[in-house]
Structures are given as structure tokens and as C-alpha cells.
Amino acid sequence: MQKTAIATLEPRLAVLRDATAARLPQLTGQNQQLFGELLTAVVPLVPEIGDRAPEIDLAAALDGRGRRLTWALDAGPVVVCFYRGHWCPYSNVQLQEYERVYPEVRALGGDVFFVGPETLTNGNKMTEKWGANVPVLCDIRGLAMDAYGLTYEVPDYLREELQQLGFPDLNPATAWRLPVTATFVIDQLGVIRARHLDPDFTRRMEPETAIAALRKITGR
């Protein structure tokens, strides 16, 4: 009998979400405005289940070596997670949770690409902070997030908040451009078999959901 999937990521994200709402209610309201705008401006452009996944060819933060989606698919299916940056607490929690299940992903013959608009230096900070074995890939010029139709420009009403984090110079090549956070589970033919896409960056695909999709693909 297959075990019932247990949500481990969402409870942790909910704690962050509630803390932000209590401490920064104005920011929460601005983010809700952003989410509504992205729902109509970006979400319809993103590849769907059954579509072929665009190529990803990026350097890994840990060693600077190139990683290509098609190369990884030669060995097994891949879970591709697009995150906002090492500065985003929701993205850090997501990486921790996917690191937790990474041995199980590898045992199923799969891999995880954790893709964000980062410099190699900043991507390496995230990798080292959590001792991550999950490959953190640096989308320095935003090519991958563009290819997946996830890119948006941070609106003026949110820029003051992000300036405190170092924007727009945090990653000079992407400046104010960020991805809508999304996760895709891609089979060895390069077809998207599962997807989590939500303009609300505080909500991400549960690792156990990704594992279930990998099991369905591999028959294990």
C-alpha cells in the first residue's frame, strides 16, 4: 500500500506568511495586488502539463559547472523548481524541504534543478547555508525563466521594499526582473507531467507531491 503524502512544506510557509501579515500588513496587501496582476499577465504564458519543457542550460552554484536539462533527462525525470533568490525566506524553506527528500528523488532515478535569477556568488551562499546537495542553478541572465514564460518586472509599488535587499543591483543582469515561482515534474521524453504554478510566491509544490509524480513516471 502506498503511503499517504503528508504536507511538510506548506505548514512552514504558512508560519512565514502569517508573520509577514502581522508585521507588515501593507506589504501583504501590495503582494496581493501583484498576485492578481500576475494571474492574468503571466500565468497564461507558462507551459502546461503535456507540453514539452524548454531547455535549461545553466551553471551550478556549487562548482560553476554547466547543467543541462536534456543531459539530466538521459538519466531520469527531473523536478525543476523556479525560486526568487537566496534573499527570499520562502525559497530557503522550499530548498530545505526538497533537500530533505533529495535522497528519495535520487533513489527513483530522478534529479532536482533549483533555478533562480542569481549570481554564482549568491547562489553559492544559498547552497552553503543549507549544505544543499540539490543543484542550485544560477539563471544569471534570466534565460530559463524567460523560456518558461515566468518573468515579470517588479512593479513600482514594491520596489522600495526590495531596494533594502540590494535591488536592482543584486543580480545586475536581471535587475528588477523575477520569476513567478513554479515547479515542473518532467519525464524522460521532456514532457511536463505535473506542475505547480501560483502567482503567490508563498505557496509551492509539496515535495511529496513531486515524489508521487516521479513514482507515477517511473512506475516505482
Side-chain angles (χ1 to χ4, degrees), residues 7 21 26 33 46 51 67 74 93 104 113-114 116-117 141 159-160 175 196 212-213:
Q26 181 179 351
Q33 180 181 342
V46 179
D51 290 344
R67 300 291 183 94
D74 285 341
V93 169
E104 188 172 0
F113 280 6
F114 208 69
R141 292 183 289 162
R159 292 191 175 190
E160 183 177 352
H196 182 277

PDB file of all heavy atoms in Angstrom, residues 7 21 26 33 46 51 67 74 93 104 113-114 116-117 141 159-160 175 196 212-213:
ATOM      1  N   ALA A   7       1.824  16.834   4.011  1.00  0.00           N
ATOM      2  CA  ALA A   7       2.316  18.178   3.705  1.00  0.00           C
ATOM      3  C   ALA A   7       3.324  18.607   4.768  1.00  0.00           C
ATOM      4  O   ALA A   7       2.995  18.661   5.952  1.00  0.00           O
ATOM      5  CB  ALA A   7       1.156  19.158   3.631  1.00  0.00           C
ATOM      6  N   ALA A  21       2.100  38.941   7.496  1.00  0.00           N
ATOM      7  CA  ALA A  21       0.804  39.628   7.548  1.00  0.00           C
ATOM      8  C   ALA A  21       0.650  40.425   8.840  1.00  0.00           C
ATOM      9  O   ALA A  21       0.089  41.526   8.844  1.00  0.00           O
ATOM     10  CB  ALA A  21      -0.326  38.616   7.406  1.00  0.00           C
ATOM     11  N   GLN A  26       0.755  46.236   5.186  1.00  0.00           N
ATOM     12  CA  GLN A  26       0.734  46.988   3.938  1.00  0.00           C
ATOM     13  C   GLN A  26       1.427  46.204   2.826  1.00  0.00           C
ATOM     14  O   GLN A  26       0.935  46.146   1.685  1.00  0.00           O
ATOM     15  CB  GLN A  26       1.414  48.348   4.102  1.00  0.00           C
ATOM     16  CG  GLN A  26       1.392  49.191   2.824  1.00  0.00           C
ATOM     17  CD  GLN A  26       2.044  50.543   3.008  1.00  0.00           C
ATOM     18  OE1 GLN A  26       2.376  50.949   4.113  1.00  0.00           O
ATOM     19  NE2 GLN A  26       2.245  51.258   1.911  1.00  0.00           N
ATOM     20  N   GLN A  33      -2.052  42.504  -4.524  1.00  0.00           N
ATOM     21  CA  GLN A  33      -2.262  43.232  -5.782  1.00  0.00           C
ATOM     22  C   GLN A  33      -1.389  42.642  -6.884  1.00  0.00           C
ATOM     23  O   GLN A  33      -1.856  42.418  -8.014  1.00  0.00           O
ATOM     24  CB  GLN A  33      -1.946  44.716  -5.602  1.00  0.00           C
ATOM     25  CG  GLN A  33      -2.143  45.542  -6.876  1.00  0.00           C
ATOM     26  CD  GLN A  33      -1.804  47.020  -6.678  1.00  0.00           C
ATOM     27  OE1 GLN A  33      -1.731  47.505  -5.544  1.00  0.00           O
ATOM     28  NE2 GLN A  33      -1.593  47.733  -7.766  1.00  0.00           N
ATOM     29  N   VAL A  46       2.666  30.325 -19.407  1.00  0.00           N
ATOM     30  CA  VAL A  46       3.560  29.286 -18.880  1.00  0.00           C
ATOM     31  C   VAL A  46       3.185  27.918 -19.454  1.00  0.00           C
ATOM     32  O   VAL A  46       2.002  27.593 -19.578  1.00  0.00           O
ATOM     33  CB  VAL A  46       3.488  29.267 -17.340  1.00  0.00           C
ATOM     34  CG1 VAL A  46       4.387  28.194 -16.768  1.00  0.00           C
ATOM     35  CG2 VAL A  46       3.872  30.639 -16.780  1.00  0.00           C
ATOM     36  N   ASP A  51       2.854  19.714 -22.239  1.00  0.00           N
ATOM     37  CA  ASP A  51       3.748  20.469 -23.120  1.00  0.00           C
ATOM     38  C   ASP A  51       5.178  19.977 -22.965  1.00  0.00           C
ATOM     39  O   ASP A  51       5.550  19.404 -21.930  1.00  0.00           O
ATOM     40  CB  ASP A  51       3.707  21.961 -22.782  1.00  0.00           C
ATOM     41  CG  ASP A  51       2.397  22.632 -23.163  1.00  0.00           C
ATOM     42  OD1 ASP A  51       1.636  22.033 -23.946  1.00  0.00           O
ATOM     43  OD2 ASP A  51       2.134  23.744 -22.666  1.00  0.00           O
ATOM     44  N   ARG A  67      24.993  22.660 -16.189  1.00  0.00           N
ATOM     45  CA  ARG A  67      23.996  21.593 -16.069  1.00  0.00           C
ATOM     46  C   ARG A  67      22.944  21.841 -17.140  1.00  0.00           C
ATOM     47  O   ARG A  67      22.449  22.966 -17.278  1.00  0.00           O
ATOM     48  CB  ARG A  67      23.334  21.611 -14.682  1.00  0.00           C
ATOM     49  CG  ARG A  67      24.285  21.415 -13.516  1.00  0.00           C
ATOM     50  CD  ARG A  67      24.847  20.012 -13.473  1.00  0.00           C
ATOM     51  NE  ARG A  67      25.692  19.818 -12.306  1.00  0.00           N
ATOM     52  CZ  ARG A  67      25.260  19.308 -11.156  1.00  0.00           C
ATOM     53  NH1 ARG A  67      23.991  18.953 -11.018  1.00  0.00           N
ATOM     54  NH2 ARG A  67      26.094  19.164 -10.142  1.00  0.00           N
ATOM     55  N   ASP A  74      18.504  12.258 -19.630  1.00  0.00           N
ATOM     56  CA  ASP A  74      19.063  10.988 -20.123  1.00  0.00           C
ATOM     57  C   ASP A  74      19.109   9.954 -19.007  1.00  0.00           C
ATOM     58  O   ASP A  74      19.039   8.743 -19.266  1.00  0.00           O
ATOM     59  CB  ASP A  74      20.481  11.205 -20.668  1.00  0.00           C
ATOM     60  CG  ASP A  74      20.490  11.892 -22.025  1.00  0.00           C
ATOM     61  OD1 ASP A  74      19.448  11.884 -22.709  1.00  0.00           O
ATOM     62  OD2 ASP A  74      21.547  12.457 -22.398  1.00  0.00           O
ATOM     63  N   VAL A  93      13.103  28.007   2.662  1.00  0.00           N
ATOM     64  CA  VAL A  93      12.349  26.899   3.263  1.00  0.00           C
ATOM     65  C   VAL A  93      12.072  25.825   2.216  1.00  0.00           C
ATOM     66  O   VAL A  93      12.182  24.623   2.488  1.00  0.00           O
ATOM     67  CB  VAL A  93      11.038  27.417   3.894  1.00  0.00           C
ATOM     68  CG1 VAL A  93      10.123  26.256   4.267  1.00  0.00           C
ATOM     69  CG2 VAL A  93      11.345  28.253   5.126  1.00  0.00           C
ATOM     70  N   GLU A 104      15.502  10.438  -1.720  1.00  0.00           N
ATOM     71  CA  GLU A 104      14.408   9.651  -2.290  1.00  0.00           C
ATOM     72  C   GLU A 104      14.250   9.939  -3.785  1.00  0.00           C
ATOM     73  O   GLU A 104      14.006   9.014  -4.579  1.00  0.00           O
ATOM     74  CB  GLU A 104      13.107   9.951  -1.553  1.00  0.00           C
ATOM     75  CG  GLU A 104      11.960   9.040  -1.944  1.00  0.00           C
ATOM     76  CD  GLU A 104      10.727   9.223  -1.071  1.00  0.00           C
ATOM     77  OE1 GLU A 104      10.756  10.061  -0.147  1.00  0.00           O
ATOM     78  OE2 GLU A 104       9.728   8.523  -1.329  1.00  0.00           O
ATOM     79  N   PHE A 113      16.358  20.366 -10.155  1.00  0.00           N
ATOM     80  CA  PHE A 113      17.045  21.602 -10.535  1.00  0.00           C
ATOM     81  C   PHE A 113      16.353  22.736  -9.784  1.00  0.00           C
ATOM     82  O   PHE A 113      15.156  22.961  -9.960  1.00  0.00           O
ATOM     83  CB  PHE A 113      16.925  21.869 -12.038  1.00  0.00           C
ATOM     84  CG  PHE A 113      17.879  21.090 -12.904  1.00  0.00           C
ATOM     85  CD1 PHE A 113      18.699  20.113 -12.385  1.00  0.00           C
ATOM     86  CD2 PHE A 113      17.939  21.345 -14.263  1.00  0.00           C
ATOM     87  CE1 PHE A 113      19.569  19.391 -13.186  1.00  0.00           C
ATOM     88  CE2 PHE A 113      18.808  20.644 -15.085  1.00  0.00           C
ATOM     89  CZ  PHE A 113      19.624  19.668 -14.561  1.00  0.00           C
ATOM     90  N   PHE A 114      17.098  23.464  -8.960  1.00  0.00           N
ATOM     91  CA  PHE A 114      16.561  24.594  -8.189  1.00  0.00           C
ATOM     92  C   PHE A 114      17.081  25.849  -8.859  1.00  0.00           C
ATOM     93  O   PHE A 114      18.252  26.208  -8.710  1.00  0.00           O
ATOM     94  CB  PHE A 114      17.035  24.482  -6.737  1.00  0.00           C
ATOM     95  CG  PHE A 114      16.113  25.109  -5.735  1.00  0.00           C
ATOM     96  CD1 PHE A 114      14.871  24.557  -5.470  1.00  0.00           C
ATOM     97  CD2 PHE A 114      16.497  26.248  -5.045  1.00  0.00           C
ATOM     98  CE1 PHE A 114      14.016  25.130  -4.540  1.00  0.00           C
ATOM     99  CE2 PHE A 114      15.653  26.834  -4.109  1.00  0.00           C
ATOM    100  CZ  PHE A 114      14.407  26.269  -3.855  1.00  0.00           C
ATOM    101  N   GLY A 116      17.173  29.873 -10.019  1.00  0.00           N
ATOM    102  CA  GLY A 116      16.825  31.228  -9.609  1.00  0.00           C
ATOM    103  C   GLY A 116      17.700  32.263 -10.284  1.00  0.00           C
ATOM    104  O   GLY A 116      18.819  31.960 -10.707  1.00  0.00           O
ATOM    105  N   PRO A 117      17.218  33.513 -10.393  1.00  0.00           N
ATOM    106  CA  PRO A 117      17.981  34.592 -11.029  1.00  0.00           C
ATOM    107  C   PRO A 117      19.065  35.118 -10.096  1.00  0.00           C
ATOM    108  O   PRO A 117      18.934  36.183  -9.493  1.00  0.00           O
ATOM    109  CB  PRO A 117      16.911  35.647 -11.329  1.00  0.00           C
ATOM    110  CG  PRO A 117      15.895  35.448 -10.241  1.00  0.00           C
ATOM    111  CD  PRO A 117      15.890  33.971  -9.950  1.00  0.00           C
ATOM    112  N   ARG A 141      21.228  35.520 -16.398  1.00  0.00           N
ATOM    113  CA  ARG A 141      20.637  36.451 -17.366  1.00  0.00           C
ATOM    114  C   ARG A 141      19.125  36.280 -17.516  1.00  0.00           C
ATOM    115  O   ARG A 141      18.504  36.942 -18.345  1.00  0.00           O
ATOM    116  CB  ARG A 141      21.327  36.286 -18.725  1.00  0.00           C
ATOM    117  CG  ARG A 141      22.780  36.754 -18.721  1.00  0.00           C
ATOM    118  CD  ARG A 141      23.395  36.647 -20.102  1.00  0.00           C
ATOM    119  NE  ARG A 141      23.615  35.246 -20.477  1.00  0.00           N
ATOM    120  CZ  ARG A 141      23.805  34.819 -21.726  1.00  0.00           C
ATOM    121  NH1 ARG A 141      23.750  35.673 -22.732  1.00  0.00           N
ATOM    122  NH2 ARG A 141      24.020  33.539 -21.971  1.00  0.00           N
ATOM    123  N   ARG A 159       9.031  48.246  -5.127  1.00  0.00           N
ATOM    124  CA  ARG A 159      10.475  48.416  -5.297  1.00  0.00           C
ATOM    125  C   ARG A 159      11.180  48.932  -4.047  1.00  0.00           C
ATOM    126  O   ARG A 159      12.322  48.563  -3.784  1.00  0.00           O
ATOM    127  CB  ARG A 159      10.760  49.314  -6.499  1.00  0.00           C
ATOM    128  CG  ARG A 159      10.382  48.639  -7.808  1.00  0.00           C
ATOM    129  CD  ARG A 159      10.883  49.365  -9.026  1.00  0.00           C
ATOM    130  NE  ARG A 159      10.577  48.595 -10.226  1.00  0.00           N
ATOM    131  CZ  ARG A 159      11.039  48.862 -11.435  1.00  0.00           C
ATOM    132  NH1 ARG A 159      11.849  49.909 -11.609  1.00  0.00           N
ATOM    133  NH2 ARG A 159      10.705  48.115 -12.473  1.00  0.00           N
ATOM    134  N   GLU A 160      10.521  49.773  -3.279  1.00  0.00           N
ATOM    135  CA  GLU A 160      11.169  50.301  -2.077  1.00  0.00           C
ATOM    136  C   GLU A 160      11.541  49.167  -1.124  1.00  0.00           C
ATOM    137  O   GLU A 160      12.634  49.167  -0.532  1.00  0.00           O
ATOM    138  CB  GLU A 160      10.235  51.288  -1.376  1.00  0.00           C
ATOM    139  CG  GLU A 160      10.869  51.936  -0.147  1.00  0.00           C
ATOM    140  CD  GLU A 160       9.973  52.964   0.516  1.00  0.00           C
ATOM    141  OE1 GLU A 160       8.912  53.297  -0.055  1.00  0.00           O
ATOM    142  OE2 GLU A 160      10.337  53.438   1.616  1.00  0.00           O
ATOM    143  N   ALA A 175      18.245  42.599 -12.817  1.00  0.00           N
ATOM    144  CA  ALA A 175      17.769  43.830 -12.171  1.00  0.00           C
ATOM    145  C   ALA A 175      16.425  43.610 -11.478  1.00  0.00           C
ATOM    146  O   ALA A 175      16.344  42.858 -10.515  1.00  0.00           O
ATOM    147  CB  ALA A 175      17.712  44.970 -13.194  1.00  0.00           C
ATOM    148  N   HIS A 196       3.114  22.933 -10.627  1.00  0.00           N
ATOM    149  CA  HIS A 196       2.535  23.811  -9.612  1.00  0.00           C
ATOM    150  C   HIS A 196       2.884  25.228 -10.009  1.00  0.00           C
ATOM    151  O   HIS A 196       4.055  25.604 -10.088  1.00  0.00           O
ATOM    152  CB  HIS A 196       3.098  23.511  -8.218  1.00  0.00           C
ATOM    153  CG  HIS A 196       2.499  24.369  -7.139  1.00  0.00           C
ATOM    154  ND1 HIS A 196       2.956  25.642  -6.865  1.00  0.00           N
ATOM    155  CD2 HIS A 196       1.473  24.145  -6.286  1.00  0.00           C
ATOM    156  CE1 HIS A 196       2.240  26.148  -5.878  1.00  0.00           C
ATOM    157  NE2 HIS A 196       1.334  25.273  -5.509  1.00  0.00           N
ATOM    158  N   ALA A 212       5.400  11.794  -5.617  1.00  0.00           N
ATOM    159  CA  ALA A 212       4.303  10.991  -6.161  1.00  0.00           C
ATOM    160  C   ALA A 212       4.305  11.036  -7.687  1.00  0.00           C
ATOM    161  O   ALA A 212       4.068  10.019  -8.355  1.00  0.00           O
ATOM    162  CB  ALA A 212       2.967  11.486  -5.608  1.00  0.00           C
ATOM    163  N   ALA A 213       4.578  12.216  -8.255  1.00  0.00           N
ATOM    164  CA  ALA A 213       4.635  12.342  -9.713  1.00  0.00           C
ATOM    165  C   ALA A 213       5.804  11.536 -10.279  1.00  0.00           C
ATOM    166  O   ALA A 213       5.686  10.896 -11.332  1.00  0.00           O
ATOM    167  CB  ALA A 213       4.751  13.809 -10.095  1.00  0.00           C
TER     168      ALA A 213
END
